Amino acid sequence: MNSIRRYGPVSDEVRRAAVAAARALMDGANWSRTRAAREVAAGLSVHPNTVSNWLRDAEPAEPCGTVAELQEQVRSLQDQLRASHITMRELERHQPTDGRAR
């Protein structure tokens, strides 16, 4: 089932104003992204997901780093995971088998 867009094109100026209004509600009134998007969307007669998408698109993209930096991050995370597995095995080894604490 295809949804029908019930509004015309929205100018960049209106989008920027909608994003600013939603951010103000999120920051100033401590509203959730969803609640702020619903409120702003109601005033513009657009779907709340549209405003939510505008908010997402307005967020700066996080730089992902160089390949070498990402490879180092992967190695670090793998080391942490290995250490967690070792800790879990040690804890399991010291667990009583009859359900009582030692």
Side-chain angles (χ1 to χ4, degrees), residues 16-94:
R16 282 191 298 273
V19 166
R23 283 183 177 159
L25 291 170
M26 290 163 49
D27 296 337
N30 202 27
W31 282 14
S32 69
R33 179 188 194 114
T34 301
R35 184 175 177 191
R38 281 187 195 139
E39 181 71 20
V40 172
L44 295 173
S45 298
V46 299
H47 197 279
N49 287 350
T50 300
V51 176
S52 186
N53 290 340
W54 294 343
L55 281 164
R56 183 199 61 221
D57 293 344
E59 293 172 353
E62 292 185 28
C64 59
T66 66
V67 171
E69 291 169 339
L70 292 173
Q71 288 172 334
E72 177 56 35
Q73 186 178 7
V74 167
R75 278 191 291 277
S76 174
L77 292 170
Q78 288 171 332
D79 290 344
Q80 291 175 30
L81 184 59
R82 271 191 292 280
S84 295
H85 284 285
I86 290 168
T87 302
M88 283 180 54
R89 281 195 298 274
E90 283 295 312
L91 290 171
E92 288 170 351
R93 200 168 59 96
H94 294 291

Side-chain angles (χ1 to χ4, degrees), residues 3-22:
S3 61
I4 299 172
R5 187 170 159 174
R6 301 190 192 289
Y7 55 91
V10 179
S11 71
D12 289 341
E13 183 179 341
V14 170
R15 288 178 193 214
R16 282 191 298 273
V19 166

